[in-house]
Amino acid sequence: MFKISKYVFYDILRSKVIIAYTLFLLIISCGLFIFQNDISKSIISIMSIIMIIIPLVSIVFSTTYFYNGYEFIELLLAQPLSRRTIILGEFIGIAFSLVTAYLIGVGIPILIYAANATGTVIIISGIALTLTFISLAVLASVATRDKAKGIGISLMLWFYFSIIYDAIILGILFAFSDYPLDKAVIVLASLNPIDLGRIIILLKLDISALMGFTGAVYKEFFGSNFGLIYSISIMIVWIILPLSISIKIFKKKNL
Amino acid sequence: MGNNIAYGILMRYLSFFFNCLILVLGAEAHTVNVCASCFDKDFQSAIKNAGVYDTIILKQGIYNSINTIINKPLTIIGENFPILDAKNQDEVISVIADHVNLIGLDIRNTNEGSIKDYAGIKVYKVKYINIINCQLNNTLFGIYISDASHVIIKGNHLKGLNYGKSNTGNGIQIWKSDSVVVEDNHSEGHRDGIYLEFAKHCIIKNNLSEQNFRYGLHFMFSDDDTYINNIFKHNGTGVAVMYTRRVQMINNKFIDNWGDASYGLLLKDMTGGLISGNTFSNNTIAITMEGSDKMRFEKNDFLKNGYAIKIMANCMLDTFMLNNFSGNTFDAATNGQLMDNLFKNNYWDKYEGYDLNHDKVGDIPYCPVSLYSVIVEQMPYAVMLLRSFTVDLLNRAEKNIPSIIPETFQDFAPMMSMHKR
């Protein structure tokens, strides 16, 4: 399994895309820290960028890589290896390279300029988002053999999680605004890894505003130790669930 | 006729003589020491035996003082903070005579309950009172000034009896009084730190009011008062001021008032005040105002608040000039479409305009109300979408083609960089 991951990692490194991605993240985060006097403001800007760029790059890059490396996968399938091992190997290889890129591009500047609880939360939720969207990409890739369709699905997934879902939430909140929604919003937040990550980071930053209103609900829930364990486990579920579904599909798939 | 004049002159000399006599006697006012080993051992009997304008020096020790009534002009000085204890039975000291000075006393343990406003020091219907450097612990009301004038309350430290409970009294309460100076006091653990009602021409200066159950400062119907250099922090709901005209609040700090219904400063039905040089930081809402007219907000700093200003549509003719708005989640929120207030030359960190002629003033107006703040105002749960990409998109779309946000709510000449203080 790890041998496959190693080959995947070397292959990704050779393609230079990952290096460009690392440099891009590094320049953005360093730039935001250097040209912005207020650290908390730059953290917020970095967060906004992370919440859009990381899911997009992770999902599109992984899907493309998966399809481009399909011959390699087919070669591996001819070997005495279980399909589960192959998918996991691919996943770990892509994940390792993208997480490394993230840690160098965003992690290092944060460690230099804002090594505190907020920084830690940003790094952790960034890693979780990367893994989640790679996992979703694997799902999109095994779902169909057609490359264009696969990339289309993954783009649609990104679009759904980063834009459409929030609009749906607005609609739900508007429709049920006469009802107490304390528990519902926590469930709604858990159903989208991007929202979950954002709320956890914001609770470390914009507590004042969130505190004032229904934010007290979030603060009470996500701010507690239980909430922390809850959100971490939800994130892990978001990583594992699409991956295990794709393994299941891939096992039964007629190649 | 001549007789009458001679009589008049005689009377004048006589009255002069008597005046001199009184002055001489007055100058000979005694100083009485009270302590466990002194001739006077008891505080209450010492007051009973004292003459007018005497000075009573209380040595260090514990004295019972169950509603000691001071009914003549006296100066009472404590050495090393002698403890006056009401043993939770009644008030500690009631002042009902003019010209009383209370200095350096440690006043403790009033009764509690709602039948009477039990106070550590109650001042009632008198003039020329000084209360200086006293410590008040475990009192329902700390210093209670009622119907008095020309009172100085300075350098006192007041601790209420309940932390986090609602049945406490106020730290410094001034009711229906005139010309009171409240300076350098520290009030904590009460219902309201400083409370004024019908108190005119008062100066509230350099006080620290913190961790009070309700408000740090609360006043109503108290015209022509001035508040300078006070710090109000960590209070249950901040500072609330209502129904008052011509108030000046200068260089105060409103800090860390967090919570569901908290704000830095609540203004309700205020008219013609000046709010200048204040710092509002880390409050859920820095200023929330309702029915307040002709107020001037100048040179204030609004930093890292949830909302900087929440201004109801029934506020008119208010001006906001030369303020800094930085790091606030929402700069402003309102509940209507009409806005008859002037915003000019403020610095807004969210301003995205340009300055072509380099006069440091932005060329396009800034609208501090965002679509999202209108949404959150109507659907509070939508706060979970704070800083989401979708919300940014909606805000941008709304900014270009305004349809929901009030168009009249604008800063016509926003500054490009922060005002230096």
Side-chain angles (χ1 to χ4, degrees):
Chain A
M1 190 163 74
F2 290 107
K3 216 168 209 174
I4 303 173
S5 309
K6 205 174 83 183
Y7 285 121
V8 169
F9 179 63
Y10 286 148
D11 191 34
I12 289 175
L13 267 189
R14 226 175 324 161
S15 76
K16 306 271 189 319
V17 175
I18 199 80
I19 294 166
Y21 174 57
T22 313
L23 281 178
F24 173 71
L25 287 179
L26 195 65
I27 289 168
I28 283 187
S29 18
C30 282
L32 282 170
F33 275 121
I34 291 166
F35 295 113
Q36 180 76 261
N37 293 324
D38 192 349
I39 293 289
S40 71
K41 262 194 202 168
S42 23
I43 292 252
I44 287 175
S45 314
I46 286 177
M47 184 201 75
S48 313
I49 290 167
I50 284 174
M51 292 295 150
I52 301 163
I53 297 288
I54 285 192
L56 182 64
V57 171
S58 306
I59 203 165
V60 171
F61 177 80
S62 319
T63 320
T64 340
Y65 180 78
F66 197 89
Y67 281 110
N68 286 347
Y70 218 86
E71 286 87 4
F72 179 57
I73 291 172
E74 278 172 347
L75 177 73
L76 287 176
L77 283 168
Q79 309 297 319
L81 289 165
S82 77
R83 291 188 171 188
R84 190 169 163 273
T85 317
I86 296 170
I87 288 284
L88 280 180
E90 285 274 328
F91 175 80
I92 291 170
I94 301 173
F96 187 72
S97 46
L98 282 176
V99 167
T100 312
Y102 174 73
L103 284 179
I104 294 172
V106 178
I108 288 176
I110 280 181
L111 280 182
I112 293 171
Y113 290 100
N116 50 23
T118 323
T120 323
V121 170
I122 287 198
I123 292 174
I124 289 172
S125 50
I127 292 172
L129 274 183
T130 310
L131 296 179
T132 306
F133 279 84
I134 295 170
S135 164
L136 285 170
V138 174
L139 181 61
S141 318
V142 297
T144 169
R145 181 68 188 84
D146 185 6
K147 187 178 175 183
K149 222 185 213 173
I151 292 175
I153 292 173
S154 54
L155 275 177
M156 279 307 294
L157 280 173
W158 173 79
F159 200 65
Y160 168 75
F161 282 119
S162 52
I163 297 173
I164 298 174
Y165 186 80
D166 289 357
I168 293 174
I169 283 187
L170 265 185
I172 292 174
L173 294 180
F174 183 70
F176 296 100
S177 55
D178 294 338
Y179 297 89
L181 294 168
D182 324 23
K183 300 230 165 64
V185 286
I186 288 172
V187 175
L188 285 174
S190 317
L191 291 178
N192 183 348
I194 299 183
D195 279 355
L196 191 63
R198 197 188 55 238
I199 289 173
I200 297 169
I201 296 175
L202 279 181
L203 279 177
K204 295 267 175 233
L205 285 168
D206 276 339
I207 293 172
S208 56
L210 282 163
M211 279 294 287
F213 307 90
T214 49
V217 176
Y218 306 112
K219 176 71 188 150
E220 197 185 321
F221 185 78
F222 290 114
S224 65
N225 280 336
F226 173 73
L228 199 68
I229 294 165
Y230 171 84
S231 34
I232 288 174
S233 29
I234 287 288
M235 281 177 165
I236 290 172
V237 167
W238 267 110
I239 298 165
I240 290 174
L241 193 70
L243 193 63
S244 53
I245 294 173
S246 41
I247 288 173
K248 216 170 245 176
I249 294 174
F250 193 66
K251 267 181 181 170
K252 291 176 187 161
K253 205 175 177 189
N254 195 5
L255 293 159
Chain B
M1 190 68 177
N3 224 359
N4 269 351
I5 292 169
Y7 179 72
I9 290 169
L10 178 67
M11 282 314 288
R12 208 167 284 174
Y13 273 105
L14 270 178
S15 72
F16 177 71
F17 173 72
F18 278 114
N19 277 340
C20 288
L21 194 67
I22 288 167
L23 271 178
V24 168
L25 285 175
E28 281 192 345
H30 297 89
T31 298
V32 183
N33 286 320
V34 179
C35 63
S37 55
C38 303
F39 179 73
D40 284 298
K41 293 178 177 59
D42 182 37
F43 175 55
Q44 275 164 318
S45 60
I47 286 176
K48 201 176 278 176
N49 298 334
V52 253
Y53 294 104
D54 275 4
T55 299
I56 295 176
I57 295 178
L58 280 178
K59 305 282 185 189
Q60 196 169 19
I62 301 175
Y63 303 90
N64 287 345
S65 172
I66 299 164
N67 200 9
T68 307
I69 293 172
I70 300 176
N71 54 4
K72 57 191 114 178
L74 283 176
T75 297
I76 299 170
I77 299 174
E79 278 187 9
N80 294 327
F81 295 105
I83 295 167
L84 298 178
D85 193 341
K87 300 193 163 174
N88 298 328
Q89 287 175 21
D90 204 334
E91 312 199 294
V92 185
I93 292 177
S94 295
V95 178
I96 56 168
D98 297 349
H99 300 282
V100 171
N101 303 316
L102 301 172
I103 299 163
L105 305 172
D106 186 334
I107 287 167
R108 288 190 182 180
N109 305 336
T110 64
N111 197 348
E112 41 186 300
S114 48
I115 300 165
K116 188 176 159 189
D117 290 341
Y118 298 101
I121 300 172
K122 186 171 265 181
V123 175
Y124 188 62
K125 279 198 173 170
V126 288
K127 291 192 285 256
Y128 307 109
I129 307 295
N130 296 321
I131 300 169
I132 294 167
N133 288 344
C134 291
Q135 294 180 356
L136 292 96
N137 289 308
N138 214 19
T139 54
L140 182 68
F141 283 73
I143 298 173
Y144 192 124
I145 311 289
S146 173
D147 258 321
S149 69
H150 303 93
V151 178
I152 294 175
I153 302 170
K154 192 174 174 186
N156 303 293
H157 190 157
L158 305 101
K159 278 188 186 169
L161 36 89
N162 285 326
Y163 282 85
K165 282 198 214 162
S166 59
N167 58 337
T168 46
N170 302 323
I172 297 172
Q173 165 144 345
I174 302 171
W175 194 78
K176 207 184 161 196
S177 297
D178 200 313
S179 309
V180 178
V181 177
V182 180
E183 199 177 341
D184 299 329
N185 300 291
H186 181 179
S187 178
E188 57 182 312
H190 292 91
R191 182 174 61 197
D192 295 347
I194 302 171
Y195 176 94
L196 293 89
E197 191 164 353
F198 307 108
K200 319 272 188 211
H201 311 104
C202 296
I203 296 174
I204 316 293
K205 198 176 166 187
N206 296 345
N207 299 289
L208 170 60
S209 178
E210 60 178 345
Q211 298 189 358
N212 295 295
F213 177 73
R214 195 170 64 180
Y215 303 125
L217 166 71
H218 185 194
F219 61 79
M220 294 193 278
F221 310 107
S222 297
D223 301 345
D224 303 296
D225 292 351
T226 307
Y227 303 83
I228 306 172
N229 283 340
N230 301 292
I231 299 174
F232 306 105
K233 68 176 179 186
H234 275 306
N235 295 300
T237 33
V239 170
V241 299
M242 311 175 191
Y243 314 111
T244 297
R245 284 170 293 179
R246 299 179 301 274
V247 153
Q248 300 200 41
M249 304 183 94
I250 297 164
N251 294 349
N252 301 292
K253 288 190 169 70
F254 303 82
I255 308 171
D256 294 336
N257 297 297
W258 278 1
D260 275 348
S262 281
Y263 33 73
L265 176 60
L266 171 120
L267 301 161
K268 181 172 166 53
D269 289 297
M270 304 280 289
T271 309
L274 170 69
I275 294 184
S276 169
N278 301 292
T279 304
F280 298 86
S281 67
N282 293 318
N283 305 293
T284 315
I285 307 173
I287 292 184
T288 176
M289 53 194 294
E290 200 182 311
S292 298
D293 303 336
K294 296 173 201 152
M295 302 286 291
R296 286 188 294 145
F297 298 84
E298 290 170 2
K299 300 178 184 169
N300 300 296
D301 289 338
F302 297 85
L303 311 170
K304 296 181 181 172
N305 302 291
Y307 285 86
I309 323 166
K310 218 168 187 183
I311 179 165
M312 298 298 139
N314 58 357
C315 297
M316 288 195 302
L317 304 172
D318 301 311
T319 50
F320 291 81
M321 285 174 76
L322 307 170
N323 301 296
N324 284 327
F325 292 83
S326 178
N328 304 301
T329 309
F330 300 104
D331 285 329
T334 182
N335 61 345
Q337 284 292 317
L338 274 175
M339 183 55 56
D340 192 13
N341 302 304
L342 177 70
F343 286 80
K344 204 181 160 193
N345 291 357
N346 301 294
Y347 167 74
W348 313 84
D349 65 338
K350 295 186 191 62
Y351 181 56
E352 288 171 345
Y354 43 82
D355 178 20
L356 287 183
N357 53 1
H358 297 293
D359 59 354
K360 293 178 181 169
V361 177
D363 294 346
I364 52 170
Y366 173 72
C367 182
V369 180
S370 63
L371 172 67
Y372 182 54
S373 74
V374 176
I375 291 176
V376 169
E377 186 76 7
Q378 286 171 11
M379 308 187 287
Y381 287 107
V383 82
M384 77 167 281
L385 297 177
L386 188 67
R387 297 202 187 282
S388 115
F389 186 44
T390 315
V391 162
D392 286 349
L393 287 180
L394 285 175
N395 274 343
R396 255 165 225 286
E398 177 70 19
K399 213 163 241 178
N400 292 333
I401 313 154
S403 60
I404 297 173
I405 56 174
E407 276 176 85
T408 44
F409 195 158
Q410 282 183 338
D411 188 328
F412 296 97
M415 303 304 289
M416 293 304 289
S417 58
M418 206 158 184
H419 294 286
K420 299 266 186 307
R421 304 276 187 239

